[in-house]
Amino acid sequence: MAGQVARETWGSKAGFLLAAAGSAIGLGNIWRFPTVVGESGGAAFVLMYLIAVLAIGMPVMFAELLIGWQSRSNPVKAFQQLCPSSFWRFVGLLAVTASLIILSYYSVIASWTLAYIPQTYLGALSNAGNQGSNAERFENFTSNISYVISVYTIFIAITMMIVMGGIREGIERWGKVLMPLLFIILLMLVIRAVTLPGASRGLEFYLRPDFSKVTAETVLNAVSQAFFSLSLGMGIMITYGSYLSKDADLASSTFWVCMMDTLIAVCAGLVIFPALFTIPDLQPAEGPKLIFLVLPTVFSSIPAGSIFGTGFFALLTIAALTSSISLMEVVVTYLVEQWSWSRNKSVLACGFATLLLGLPSAMSAGALPFFTDLPIVGCSFLDLMDTIFGKFCLILVAMAVCIFVGWKWSIAAALQGVQVNRAHHLVIACWSVAIRFVCPVAMVVILLSLLFWR
Ligand code: PHE
C-alpha cells in the first residue's frame, strides 16, 4: 500500500511541537477561553482549567499520541492494527468523519475572520463605529452568498496548499513560520491592550479569583473547554503522533503542547478584556458576537484601533489555519493509507468534500433562512454540526480512546519502547490511573450532562 512504502517523519522536535501546538491553539483559545474565564470566576476558573488540563487533557493527549506512535498509522488502521478484527476501527472512522465535518464548519468561521482583516482596517478608518452598525455590517457580509463562498473557498485553498506539501515540507515548514508569527502578533497586542486607558479594570474583571462563581456547571465547562482546546477526540494527535520517530519523547511533548495552548489562551484574555473595558457599560459577550460585533466597536474607538483590529483578525486567522491543516491532515492520511490514493488526489478530494459539506454552514448566518434557523432543532446548521461533532462526537471518541488504552490494549503494551527514566515513573503511574479511571468517568459525566442537562 502507498502508506507503507515511505512514511514521513517530523524533521525535528520543535517542528512537531509547533505543529501540534498549532492544532491546539485556535479559535477556542482566543475567543472562547477568555469569555468563559471572565464569566466563571476569573483566576478561580483558570485554576480549575489547569487541573482539568493536567488530570484529563494531558492523559488523553498522551494516549492518543501513543496510539499513533506505536501503530505508525492513520486512526482507522491504528485501531485495526492494535486490535485486529474488532469493532474498534469504527472509533477511528468516527474520528476521521468528525474531523472532516468539523473542518467544514470551522473553515466557515475562519473565513469570516479572514474577511475581517481588510474589513476592519477599512471599516475602522471610515466610521466611528457602534455596535449596531457593526451588527449590520456583519449581517450584510454573512448574507452575501457569493462573497462568503469566495472567502471560504480561499481559506480552504490555502489549507489545501499547505497540506499538499506533506508533513515536513507542508505542515512543519508552515508551522515554523505561522506559529512564531502568531506569538509575535499576540505579544504586540498584549502590550497594546494592557497599556490602554482603563486596562486595569478589564484585567481585574478577567483575573480576580471569585470562588463564589464556581459551580458544578463551571467545572464541567472547564473540562469540556480543555478538551476542545487541546484538539482531542478527533484523531489529530493519533495522526500527528504517527509521524513521530521512534526516539521521540512523547511525555515531554505532551506537556509542552498543553502548556503552550494554555498560555496562549490566558494571554488572549489579556488582549480582550482591557480592550473591552475601554468602553463603559459594554457587556462582554461570547463567541461570534464578541468577535464580530463587540470587538470591532472597541477597535474603532481606541487609538490606532484599525491596526490593533487588523492584527487581531490576522492572529485569529493564523490560529484557525494551523488548526484547519491538522483537521485536513487526519482525513488525508486516512485516504492515502486506507484508499491508497496519492497525497495530491487525497487533498483535492478532501478539499472538495469540505467545500460542499461546508456550504450549508456558510449559508447559515443569514444567507439562507432555512439553514439559519433549522426546523425542529431550532438552531443554525453550523450550531447543529458543532453540537453533534464538535462536542458530542469528540467526547465519545476520547472516551473510547481511554477505554481502549486503559482496558483493552493494556497500559503495558501502550508503553512498550517508551523511554521512561526514573523521574517519569510517578508520572506514568498517575497517567495510568487517570486513563483507566479519572478520564472515562469524567467523560461519561460530560456526555450525560450534554444529553440531559442543557
Ligand atoms: N483546538 C482548537 C481551538 O482551540 C479547535 C480545534 C478543534 C481545532 C478541533 C482542530 C480540531 O480552537
Side-chain angles (χ1 to χ4, degrees), residues 23-24 26-29 102 106 228-231 234 236 323 326-327:
S23 169
L27 302 175
N29 299 56
I102 294 175
Y106 197 78
F228 183 79
S229 185
L230 294 171
S231 298
M234 269 155 292
I236 293 180
S323 296
S326 69
L327 286 164

Side-chain angles (χ1 to χ4, degrees), residues 8 10 19 23 99-100 103 107 154-175 178 236 239-240 243 320-336 341-352 354:
E8 272 193 280
W10 300 100
S23 169
S99 285
L100 182 65
L103 175 62
S107 305
I154 292 173
F155 184 82
I156 291 176
I158 300 173
T159 308
M160 288 167 69
M161 193 195 77
I162 296 177
V163 177
M164 228 173 232
I167 294 297
R168 282 196 192 191
E169 290 303 310
I171 299 176
E172 185 169 349
R173 196 168 114 201
W174 280 94
L178 294 173
I236 293 180
T239 306
Y240 274 18
Y243 292 109
L321 182 61
T322 51
S323 296
S324 69
I325 57 181
S326 69
L327 286 164
M328 189 176 278
E329 182 57 42
V330 172
V331 185
V332 168
T333 300
Y334 165 76
L335 291 176
V336 169
W341 284 4
S342 71
R343 176 166 277 270
N344 284 357
K345 182 174 166 187
S346 306
V347 172
L348 284 173
C350 179
F352 192 63
T354 309

Side-chain angles (χ1 to χ4, degrees), residues 35-184:
T35 39
V36 182
V37 173
E39 285 160 5
S40 319
F45 180 87
V46 176
L47 193 71
M48 275 185 319
Y49 180 80
L50 282 177
I51 295 172
V53 169
L54 285 173
I56 296 166
M58 274 192 194
V60 177
M61 185 180 289
F62 188 53
E64 288 199 9
L65 286 174
L66 278 172
I67 294 177
W69 183 71
Q70 295 283 18
S71 64
R72 313 193 126 246
S73 311
N74 67 80
V76 178
K77 198 165 141 209
F79 283 104
Q80 246 168 2
Q81 204 169 295
L82 300 172
C83 197
S85 62
S86 68
F87 71 92
W88 284 101
R89 66 178 181 283
F90 292 111
V91 174
L93 206 57
L94 188 61
V96 175
T97 313
S99 285
L100 182 65
I101 296 182
I102 294 175
L103 175 62
S104 74
Y105 71 80
Y106 197 78
S107 305
V108 170
I109 306 173
S111 67
W112 296 345
T113 67
L114 177 64
Y116 259 61
I117 298 175
Q119 288 215 9
T120 309
Y121 188 69
L122 301 171
L125 284 181
S126 63
N127 72 38
N130 59 54
Q131 218 166 315
S133 70
N134 283 323
E136 210 171 280
R137 184 160 13 133
F138 183 61
E139 248 164 51
N140 285 344
F141 158 58
T142 51
S143 50
N144 182 340
I145 298 188
S146 52
Y147 185 33
V148 166
I149 292 180
S150 319
V151 189
Y152 175 55
T153 310
I154 292 173
F155 184 82
I156 291 176
I158 300 173
T159 308
M160 288 167 69
M161 193 195 77
I162 296 177
V163 177
M164 228 173 232
I167 294 297
R168 282 196 192 191
E169 290 303 310
I171 299 176
E172 185 169 349
R173 196 168 114 201
W174 280 94
K176 282 181 178 167
V177 176
L178 294 173
M179 293 310 287
L181 192 63
L182 182 140
F183 298 144
I184 293 170

